[in-house]
Amino acid sequence: MCNEVKRILFVCTGNTCRSPMAEAILKDMLEKNNIENVEVQSRGLYASEGQSASDEAIEVLSREGIDLSGHRGKQIKQSVILDSDLILTMTKGHKEILLKYFPNLKEKVYTLKEYAYGVESDVIDPFGRGIVAYEVALEDIKKALAKIIGQGDRFTVPQKGTMNLSLRPNKEE
């Protein structure tokens, strides 16, 4: 059974690199494919409100034609969690923390790679590791998001400009 996903939340630690990168990339993919009525946001479990995205995250996304310079970190809040249709974390640890406090939400909280590939695996934390680590994280995020929305040969824009995703993770066959 497929449910229309309207609100997607990405979660990482500080909301300065991985989750804002995922948010910006997905927004870009949706825009390029004329998919509307999908809200995408990101939050950090331990974010400092208002902190800028890391310089390296801004740089690697700028190479993709995506401007992350206006991003400001946001702390996760219960209202945002409860209002989200799908929550994608960057690591198993992030997922475990959310489910510890919200065990009833296990049907909508997944790691990004678990949802994309059916395998629970982390997107590496590039913070403080240099530009190459950011490039690796960027590629991981892009590939997983492309798999989720079915870009490439399988991608079709739904008729009404909405995106339909199963609220179950994909399984590798």
Side-chain angles (χ1 to χ4, degrees):
M1 176 181 186
C2 286
N3 295 314
E4 184 177 320
V5 175
K6 294 182 181 179
R7 289 176 297 282
I8 299 172
L9 174 65
F10 292 102
V11 177
C12 69
T13 307
N15 196 225
T16 60
C17 51
R18 291 172 291 178
S19 64
M21 287 168 57
E23 174 188 4
I25 292 164
L26 182 56
K27 284 180 176 178
D28 185 63
M29 288 177 171
L30 295 172
E31 182 180 329
K32 286 178 178 173
N33 291 288
N34 299 313
I35 299 173
E36 300 174 349
N37 301 322
V38 178
E39 295 175 22
V40 182
Q41 51 185 321
S42 64
R43 296 287 191 274
L45 293 173
Y46 307 105
S48 295
E49 287 283 333
Q51 186 172 1
S52 300
S54 68
D55 291 339
E56 295 89 346
I58 292 169
E59 181 179 331
V60 296
L61 280 184
S62 71
R63 296 178 196 164
E64 302 287 317
I66 301 172
D67 183 8
L68 193 61
S69 63
H71 173 80
R72 296 296 175 261
K74 294 178 185 165
Q75 177 69 33
I76 199 158
K77 294 183 172 142
Q78 180 175 337
S79 60
V80 174
I81 293 168
L82 296 176
D83 197 37
S84 297
D85 296 307
L86 176 63
I87 301 169
L88 298 173
T89 67
M90 297 297 119
T91 69
K92 182 179 176 185
H94 297 139
K95 175 185 169 182
E96 289 171 352
I97 290 169
L98 288 176
L99 291 177
K100 176 181 177 183
Y101 294 101
F102 301 96
N104 58 323
L105 300 182
K106 65 182 178 181
E107 294 298 318
K108 69 177 184 178
V109 179
Y110 301 93
T111 68
L112 175 64
K113 289 184 174 182
E114 174 188 20
Y115 193 81
Y117 309 115
V119 177
E120 197 165 58
S121 178
D122 294 350
V123 173
I124 65 157
D125 186 355
F127 190 78
R129 297 171 126 179
I131 198 72
V132 172
Y134 280 84
E135 291 166 346
V136 169
L138 172 69
E139 287 306 310
D140 266 0
I141 293 166
K142 281 176 31 181
K143 286 177 184 174
L145 291 175
K147 171 103 170 132
I148 289 169
I149 69 167
Q151 282 204 332
D153 296 340
R154 300 179 301 114
F155 185 77
T156 58
V157 178
Q159 290 182 353
K160 295 183 180 176
T162 59
M163 177 175 62
N164 289 311
L165 294 174
S166 167
L167 288 178
R168 303 262 184 236
N170 288 321
K171 299 290 181 193
E172 284 296 307
E173 298 175 33

